[in-house]
Amino acid sequence: MRIEADRAKCDGLGMCEAMAPDFFEVGDDGTVVVLEQHPGEQHRQDITAAVDACPVLALKLKD
């Protein structure tokens, strides 16, 4: 699986970081930084919750 982030859409609200801090961070510029683009399958539930929590739909999870 692969995490994709559309930084142009990101408003830096931090929902992803709150849900999965090992994989997402709001950077100094106020937009999302994906810390691990290809996480292990064991993290799917947490990452899916973080992607679904994004209010501006800036995140996607691809298989």
Side-chain angles (χ1 to χ4, degrees):
M1 96 179 113
R2 183 178 79 238
I3 301 170
E4 293 183 355
D6 184 341
R7 293 171 53 94
K9 281 186 176 180
C10 181
D11 282 343
L13 300 172
M15 297 300 294
C16 57
E17 185 176 23
M19 300 290 289
D22 292 337
F23 301 96
F24 303 99
E25 172 179 287
V26 176
D28 292 338
D29 66 351
T31 61
V32 66
V33 175
V34 178
L35 301 175
E36 187 175 339
Q37 197 169 25
H38 298 280
E41 188 64 33
Q42 70 272 25
H43 302 290
R44 182 178 289 273
Q45 185 175 357
D46 291 338
I47 294 166
T48 298
V51 168
D52 291 346
C54 181
V56 296
L57 306 175
L59 301 171
K60 291 183 183 176
L61 188 58
K62 300 283 188 164
D63 284 316

